[in-house]
Amino acid sequence: MKYLQAKCLWTFLVFILSVSNVLAQKADFSYTASSANLCTPVELTFKNTSTGTALGYKWDFGDGRTSTEPNPQITFTTGGIKRITLEAQYYTPGGINTSSYYKDITIGGTPVISFSADVTKSCKTYTANFTDATPNIATRVWDFGDGTTLTTSNPYIQHAYTKAGKFDVTLTVTSSSGCQATLKKTEYIDISLPDVVLSSPVSGCVPYNAVFTATSTNSTNDPTTSYTWNFGDGQTVTQSGGNLTHQYTQTGTYDVGVTITTGSGCTVTKTFSKQVRTGNPPGNVSFTLAPTAACVGEPVRLIASARYADSYSWDFGDGQTLIGLENDIRHNFNANGTLTVNMKAGNNGCYIAATPATVDITGPISQFNVIRDCNNKSQFIFTNSSSGITANTNFEWDFGDNTPIVKSRDASHIYTVPGDYTVRLTISENGKACSHSSYQKIYYFIPDFTSGVNAICRGTKATYEVLNVPLGLVSSYTWNFGDGTSMTTTSQTQIKTWNNAGLFANQLVIHYKDPAYCDDVVTKTNDINILAPQANFTTSSLLCAGQPVTFVNQTIPSPNIPIANWQWDLGNGRSSTALTPPPDTKFSASGNQSVKLVVVDARNCKDSITKSININPTPFVKANAAQSKICEGNSVSLKAISDGTVQWLTTTNISCNFCTDAIANPTTNTRYIVQASNVYGCMMKDSTDITVVPKVNLTVSNDTIACYGSSVQLKAAGAAYYKWTPVLGLTNDNVADPVTTPIEDITYQVTGTNDPICPMSAPLSVKVEVKPVPQVYAGKDQTVMVGSIVSLRASGSPDVIKYTWSPTEYLDNPNTPYAIAAVRKPMTYSVTGTNQYGCKKSDVVNIDLVCNSDVMYIPNTFSPNGDGVNDIFYVRGKGINFIKSFRIFNRLGQEVFHREKINIDDINAGWNGNYNGKPMPADVYIYFVEAYCDTNEFFQLKGNVTLLR
């Protein structure tokens, strides 16, 4: 019965633990969005917050895309409710458990704006009715382009325009989900007033019937329905047409006003200043001319006379006329024969004719025509068309370029320098006084054109300029561009947008007003190079979610122009400016992904390409082992969990390769790799590492000895973990090299293993014998005078076989019990005695030094006579470290000798009895000595010395 109760209790505990384990294995996730308002395009980054240790994950994003990444990223470009589902698979004792969790996320679609106005064009200010047809809009912000804005939720709105002009209308909408969009219509509202044009000003004598013609134009195609005239004389009239006649009965100058009214009710008034002049006829109108006979081209004086005239109109009878204020003029007649001259005197536009007069003009009339040679455009052909010439007529051509005069009837001339030239033809008769010259300006030029550049980027503009051509000659220009387009214009400047890449020829045809200048055709081959790199790329053939995608850049640059900038938009929240995106570029989710490449070359020319790449689903796989560590010689169970086809890629010591459950018998540490594949060819790998704990090859150090009271280190090898017994005297019984301090002979045993999960090895032993320590005595401490010799005498127990002194400074022999020390400073010596077991014991002795002036010897006389005996006076002694100063004075206190920092017993540092190179007289001198003993004590010494000669 007790056994049955225990069995039931165990089953209940297993059930409780299993339920607890399942409850701890739950799929869950959170996410962040960019943009935060969840408006398309929006990138969602998912954070997997599932509990427990999952074998694998599978995401379903609700639009056919999936992922097996733990924390994928995905971009939504369409709005709506997206159900995001996460499945997590867990291993349980009963098999595989799947936990599923989903969230519905509402993605807001970016609004597609559509608005209109009932009237967009008018010839007067008005109120426009706007309608926004964008669905599901919460807020609308209108900008009417005239400085007025309005925020409203109403789709219908009115706005009054109070001035003429062309106005941009901009609408920004915010949907009920918080998504925004903006639409701007440029010059959407056009309020343009009509324009009025009146025929040329008129004048005459009162009563005068003035004829008027008025026309009106507008950009709104609004017809004019009436014209109201204000004639400036107090009279007005309204009619439907723009043509009428009005009689002025009073003299004066009149401004005429015209008011038009259009069919939509627009009115415009325009006043034309000094449109009509009327006057009274001048009186006593006449004129005279002198001389009454002249050569062609000679001046003739004409004098007019009239009462109340303010202007004069002349017709000279040679095809020339003149109107002016002067009544006294001169005129060169350019026709021969008897010519009739007419004159009219005017008063404010009212003219009365005088009696005509005649003048006799004799001599030839110079005239000529000129054309440019179309085959040689630097040559001009001159044809004489003079009248009144005979066989005796002389001709002189001056071409204006400082070349010699040509005397032929007709002529041709080649110009070598472009410019404007005045050509003169002078004709005369032999034996007669009359001669006449005529003039024409001609233009010699070399037509050309330029765009200022020889290479531009595709899609940009080139500005073409006509060069060297006189503007007044030209009727029009025809441009024939190398891409097949053409344009005829009167402007010397032409702007051309090039939309195709390549090397193109261009042609300019110049049409002249005067046919004498035959058309010029300027053709330039390879005139302009339109540059454009061709962006392109491919990807690796197999694209799988969550796995690196290899991009191959196939961009073709323009010749000799390298690509300077790469801009990749990978559509997965990542971008790159490298030649190819990084090799770790991944797409978290399956499905179509849009990738865009923009290239910019060294000339700033651009091109782009967008491709949709299909990312295939990736299987998930998880490799699992019953245990991650085994002892050498044992086996372990392996399990692969996957939704694809499984294959173990590690074939060493495994029971099967194409199975989910296998048995492995590794002999060394082994990583077992499993691969899963699906129908798309996508593969995923996982692995589990099995650590094999090797068997122990235990070794231990040899038996050893230890001096009593000292320590010895034990050493074992061949294992990772150790156990020493007994623990007596050991510093640590679980290390390879413990230290022991035994007090008697002892034997230790050690066992080892390479991992706690594996059993300990058989024990090995090491014996430690404890040996006695000798006795040693260094002798009594000593105090001696500096400079003395000290005897050291050591003694010890009978087992001492070796003495060693330390330090060895000043010692004659450090390896004897009796040593001699010539100490120079206080010392402490240690002596160590060693017995036959190598056990050692030490003792110390202190040597102290005493210092006084007795250690220094200074003689009281010296005789520097050069006999080699007592010639130098210097300081002698022992136990002196150094002499700080040595000074000598005569009886008068004058210093005759001085030395600093000298050694004792240094004869070279003594006084030779001289001062400044001269011998001092025999006398008694005073000396002062400052010195430091070997003990570093300072003392002074003063005395007398007698110098003998």
Side-chain angles (χ1 to χ4, degrees):
M1 181 64 69
K2 290 182 180 179
Y3 171 75
L4 182 59
Q5 291 176 347
K7 183 176 181 181
C8 292
L9 178 60
W10 172 251
T11 303
F12 178 73
L13 288 174
V14 169
F15 173 76
I16 293 297
L17 291 174
S18 299
V19 171
S20 175
N21 196 30
V22 170
L23 292 176
Q25 298 175 343
K26 181 179 180 182
D28 197 1
F29 65 87
S30 62
Y31 68 91
T32 57
S34 177
S35 60
N37 57 7
L38 292 176
C39 297
T40 58
V42 57
E43 181 184 88
L44 298 185
T45 300
F46 294 95
K47 182 179 181 180
N48 196 324
T49 58
S50 303
T51 58
T53 303
L55 300 175
Y57 303 99
K58 186 173 183 180
W59 298 81
D60 186 335
F61 300 110
D63 58 359
R65 291 183 288 176
T66 62
S67 177
T68 57
E69 291 285 298
N71 301 291
Q73 284 182 331
I74 190 168
T75 300
F76 289 99
T77 58
T78 60
I81 298 176
K82 311 295 181 181
R83 173 161 289 187
I84 312 299
T85 303
L86 170 62
E87 289 185 358
Q89 301 215 357
Y90 296 94
Y91 180 76
T92 63
I96 303 302
N97 175 54
T98 298
S99 175
S100 180
Y101 177 73
Y102 72 86
K103 287 182 180 180
D104 288 334
I105 301 175
T106 301
I107 305 297
T110 300
V112 180
I113 304 179
S114 175
F115 73 85
S116 61
D118 58 342
V119 177
T120 60
K121 292 186 177 182
S122 177
C123 61
K124 62 180 178 180
T125 60
Y126 72 104
T127 297
N129 296 300
F130 291 94
T131 300
D132 176 24
T134 312
N136 302 319
I137 297 303
T139 304
R140 299 167 173 86
V141 179
W142 293 88
D143 184 340
F144 299 108
D146 59 353
T148 305
T149 59
L150 177 68
T151 301
T152 180
S153 60
N154 197 330
Y156 308 102
I157 195 69
Q158 292 182 333
H159 179 67
Y161 286 92
T162 59
K163 58 184 178 181
K166 294 183 179 181
F167 304 97
D168 301 338
V169 179
T170 304
L171 174 61
T172 301
V173 299
T174 303
S175 68
S176 54
S177 60
C179 299
Q180 278 193 348
T182 299
L183 175 62
K184 179 179 180 180
K185 294 188 177 182
T186 303
E187 298 184 352
Y188 186 56
I189 302 298
D190 183 2
I191 301 177
S192 301
L193 299 178
D195 188 26
V196 182
V197 178
L198 189 60
S199 54
S200 301
V202 294
S203 62
C205 302
V206 293
Y208 175 65
N209 292 323
V211 179
F212 301 106
T213 300
T215 57
S216 75
T217 58
N218 61 67
S219 63
T220 58
N221 297 320
D222 187 11
T224 301
T225 58
S226 69
Y227 293 82
T228 298
W229 298 83
N230 184 344
F231 299 109
D233 60 354
Q235 299 185 51
T236 62
V237 68
T238 300
Q239 63 179 34
S240 60
N243 301 319
L244 85 165
T245 301
H246 177 71
Q247 187 179 77
Y248 287 87
T249 60
Q250 301 291 326
T251 62
T253 300
Y254 299 95
D255 298 337
V256 176
V258 182
T259 299
I260 65 168
T261 302
T262 68
S264 62
C266 295
T267 60
V268 173
T269 299
K270 191 171 182 179
T271 300
F272 299 89
S273 178
K274 300 179 181 181
Q275 182 69 21
V276 178
R277 291 188 301 127
T278 60
N280 290 315
N284 301 326
V285 179
S286 64
F287 73 94
T288 62
L289 54 84
T292 57
C295 294
V296 173
E298 290 183 348
V300 174
R301 185 178 183 187
L302 299 97
I303 301 175
S305 176
R307 294 177 61 190
Y308 311 117
D310 57 15
S311 63
Y312 303 89
S313 175
W314 300 88
D315 183 346
F316 300 108
D318 61 355
Q320 301 182 67
T321 61
L322 176 67
I323 297 177
L325 303 178
E326 300 294 330
N327 69 324
D328 188 350
I329 63 173
R330 283 172 170 76
H331 179 68
N332 298 327
F333 288 87
N334 288 323
N336 56 12
T338 301
L339 304 179
T340 300
V341 179
N342 290 281
M343 187 276 292
K344 295 187 294 182
N347 174 266
N348 202 38
C350 175
Y351 285 92
I352 298 299
T355 301
T358 60
V359 60
D360 290 325
I361 305 299
T362 59
I365 301 173
S366 173
Q367 287 180 319
F368 64 90
N369 300 318
V370 60
I371 62 173
R372 187 170 59 155
D373 188 342
C374 294
N375 296 318
N376 180 8
K377 292 182 179 180
S378 64
Q379 177 170 279
F380 289 80
I381 300 172
F382 301 93
T383 302
N384 196 325
S385 59
S386 302
S387 60
I389 60 177
T390 66
N392 294 321
T393 302
N394 298 318
F395 305 94
E396 291 185 357
W397 294 91
D398 183 350
F399 300 110
D401 60 352
N402 296 320
T403 56
I405 298 296
V406 175
K407 295 186 176 183
S408 60
R409 175 189 176 94
D410 301 311
S412 64
H413 184 68
I414 295 176
Y415 288 93
T416 58
V417 179
D420 302 343
Y421 299 96
T422 299
V423 178
R424 183 187 68 197
L425 170 61
T426 301
I427 59 176
S428 62
E429 293 287 339
N430 289 330
K432 295 183 179 180
C434 290
S435 66
H436 184 247
S437 297
S438 60
Y439 302 87
Q440 287 193 52
K441 179 175 281 190
I442 65 168
Y443 302 89
Y444 169 53
F445 52 89
I446 303 174
D448 197 4
F449 68 87
T450 181
S451 64
V453 294
N454 56 16
I456 61 172
C457 298
R458 180 179 62 191
T460 56
K461 297 177 179 179
T463 301
Y464 289 86
E465 296 281 349
V466 179
L467 302 177
N468 307 332
V469 179
L471 180 61
L473 293 180
V474 177
S475 171
S476 63
Y477 306 96
T478 298
W479 296 91
N480 298 312
F481 296 107
D483 61 353
T485 61
S486 62
M487 175 67 69
T488 298
T489 179
T490 58
S491 173
Q492 284 186 305
T493 301
Q494 177 65 35
I495 299 176
K496 161 69 175 173
T497 300
W498 290 93
N499 294 315
N500 298 314
L503 188 61
F504 296 97
N506 292 315
Q507 184 185 80
L508 170 64
V509 180
I510 307 170
H511 310 281
Y512 298 102
K513 298 174 184 177
D514 187 348
Y517 286 87
C518 45
D519 290 353
D520 277 313
V521 179
V522 182
T523 302
K524 294 186 178 183
T525 59
N526 299 332
D527 182 47
I528 192 166
N529 190 11
I530 309 303
L531 306 173
Q534 299 178 24
N536 195 15
F537 67 89
T538 61
T539 61
S540 48
S541 58
L542 181 60
L543 307 179
C544 302
Q547 295 183 359
V549 175
T550 300
F551 287 86
V552 179
N553 196 324
Q554 295 181 324
T555 297
I556 302 174
S558 298
N560 301 318
I561 303 177
I563 303 298
N565 182 266
W566 313 90
Q567 300 172 12
W568 294 85
D569 183 353
L570 301 173
N572 60 353
R574 296 182 64 181
S575 61
S576 176
T577 58
L579 174 65
T580 56
D584 62 345
T585 299
K586 299 178 182 179
F587 295 88
S588 299
S590 62
N592 288 327
Q593 299 285 349
S594 180
V595 177
K596 182 178 182 180
L597 169 61
V598 179
V599 298
V600 183
D601 65 19
R603 291 184 62 107
N604 206 33
C605 298
K606 296 182 179 181
D607 192 33
S608 66
I609 187 172
T610 301
K611 289 186 178 182
S612 179
I613 60 176
N614 183 41
I615 306 300
N616 296 308
T618 302
F620 75 87
V621 64
K622 181 67 176 180
N624 213 14
Q627 58 190 85
S628 61
K629 187 185 297 184
I630 63 173
C631 300
E632 184 179 355
N634 293 346
S635 61
V636 63
S637 298
L638 304 179
K639 187 175 186 64
I641 302 169
S642 176
D643 60 351
T645 302
V646 171
Q647 177 185 2
W648 292 95
L649 300 181
T650 306
T651 59
T652 303
N653 299 320
I654 192 170
S655 61
C656 59
N657 297 117
F658 297 93
C659 58
T660 57
D661 298 284
I663 303 297
N665 300 93
T667 58
T668 59
N669 294 346
T670 304
R671 172 169 292 176
Y672 286 91
I673 302 173
V674 64
Q675 175 179 281
S677 59
N678 59 16
V679 295
Y680 304 103
C682 293
M683 294 180 290
M684 182 65 75
K685 296 179 183 178
D686 193 28
S687 64
T688 182
D689 291 329
I690 305 300
T691 301
V692 177
V693 181
K695 295 179 180 179
V696 173
N697 184 18
L698 188 66
T699 61
V700 71
S701 56
N702 296 328
D703 294 345
T704 186
I705 63 173
C707 297
Y708 184 84
S710 63
S711 300
V712 66
Q713 189 172 46
L714 307 179
K715 292 185 179 180
Y721 300 89
Y722 299 90
K723 181 63 178 178
W724 293 85
T725 58
V727 299
L728 182 64
L730 293 178
T731 55
N732 190 335
D733 62 336
N734 294 315
V735 296
D737 51 356
V739 175
T740 180
T741 308
I743 60 176
E744 60 183 356
D745 294 349
I746 188 171
T747 298
Y748 291 100
Q749 288 188 329
V750 61
T751 58
T753 182
N754 283 323
D755 194 279
I757 69 168
C758 298
M760 287 288 190
S761 66
L764 296 178
S765 298
V766 58
K767 182 179 180 181
V768 180
E769 295 185 53
V770 179
K771 300 299 181 179
V773 176
Q775 299 297 316
V776 67
Y777 176 59
K780 294 181 179 181
D781 293 343
Q782 302 182 48
T783 299
V784 298
M785 186 70 68
V786 293
S788 301
I789 301 299
V790 178
S791 295
L792 302 178
R793 301 182 66 84
S795 60
S797 57
D799 59 342
V800 175
I801 62 174
K802 179 181 177 183
Y803 291 91
T804 303
W805 291 94
S806 177
T808 61
E809 190 176 6
Y810 308 127
L811 295 179
D812 63 340
N813 186 352
N815 297 316
T816 178
Y818 309 116
I820 301 300
V823 294
R824 296 293 306 275
K825 61 182 178 181
M827 295 291 294
T828 297
Y829 288 103
S830 170
V831 65
T832 300
T834 306
N835 63 16
Q836 71 256 28
Y837 304 110
C839 296
K840 298 179 180 181
K841 190 67 175 289
S842 298
D843 191 24
V844 297
V845 60
N846 297 313
I847 308 299
D848 196 13
L849 300 181
V850 177
C851 177
N852 57 42
S853 59
D854 294 340
V855 298
M856 186 180 296
Y857 166 67
I858 300 178
N860 54 13
T861 61
F862 78 109
S863 56
N865 54 13
D867 61 358
V869 178
N870 203 19
D871 286 335
I872 304 298
F873 177 56
Y874 64 97
V875 182
R876 304 169 176 83
K878 58 181 179 178
I880 303 300
N881 191 356
F882 73 96
I883 297 172
K884 180 182 178 184
S885 68
F886 180 25
R887 304 168 68 190
I888 301 175
F889 300 86
N890 61 20
R891 289 179 181 273
L892 299 178
Q894 181 184 16
E895 186 178 67
V896 297
F897 178 78
H898 189 174
R899 290 288 186 273
E900 295 281 348
K901 293 184 180 180
I902 59 178
N903 293 324
I904 195 76
D905 289 327
D906 185 359
I907 192 171
N908 295 320
W911 185 36
N912 62 2
N914 293 339
Y915 176 63
N916 289 335
K918 296 180 179 180
M920 294 297 293
D923 203 347
V924 176
Y925 294 85
I926 303 169
Y927 63 83
F928 289 92
V929 177
E930 294 179 316
Y932 285 90
C933 284
D934 286 342
T935 59
N936 209 29
E937 293 179 74
F938 176 75
F939 69 89
Q940 296 176 328
L941 191 61
K942 176 181 178 184
N944 298 328
V945 61
T946 300
L947 188 152
L948 301 176
R949 290 291 184 185

